[in-house]
Amino acid sequence: MIDLSVENIAKLHNKCKNQDKDLYNFLKEEYPNISVEDRLKYLSTVLNDFFEEYKFDNEDRYKEEGYSIVKFFPK
């Protein structure tokens, strides 16, 4: 079961800020055993709350299980 609570999302965001991976790959390392769909739920919730603190290039993407995922890096 995923935890999209305000506290958990803030904790994930703060951990992500202190490393050099994009948000999705950070989440993949944090939660290696969840589905792509659940990881994307975390990604979208973090971005919903902290979008201004991430940078991205719409052309910088990769594919996983049929999804085209934009790389969001902490500023």
Side-chain angles (χ1 to χ4, degrees):
M1 176 133 185
I2 64 174
D3 178 4
L4 299 176
S5 67
V6 171
E7 296 82 15
N8 192 49
I9 295 303
K11 180 184 83 168
L12 288 171
H13 165 66
N14 286 323
K15 280 180 82 173
C16 185
K17 285 192 319 187
N18 295 317
Q19 52 84 51
D20 61 351
K21 294 176 193 72
D22 68 279
L23 179 56
Y24 184 80
N25 279 309
F26 164 76
L27 291 169
K28 194 172 184 176
E29 284 187 5
E30 284 288 305
Y31 300 109
N33 299 319
I34 66 172
S35 68
V36 173
E37 290 85 1
D38 283 345
R39 227 174 273 124
L40 290 172
K41 288 176 188 173
Y42 277 115
L43 182 138
S44 64
T45 305
V46 169
L47 292 174
N48 187 56
D49 292 350
F50 300 101
F51 184 75
E52 297 298 323
E53 297 185 44
Y54 289 86
K55 60 186 175 191
F56 68 98
D57 176 349
N58 205 28
E59 303 300 317
D60 191 8
R61 302 170 172 259
Y62 52 88
K63 293 194 182 279
E64 184 167 331
E65 295 184 24
Y67 291 95
S68 179
I69 303 167
V70 174
K71 295 179 183 179
F72 289 88
F73 291 91
K75 290 183 179 176

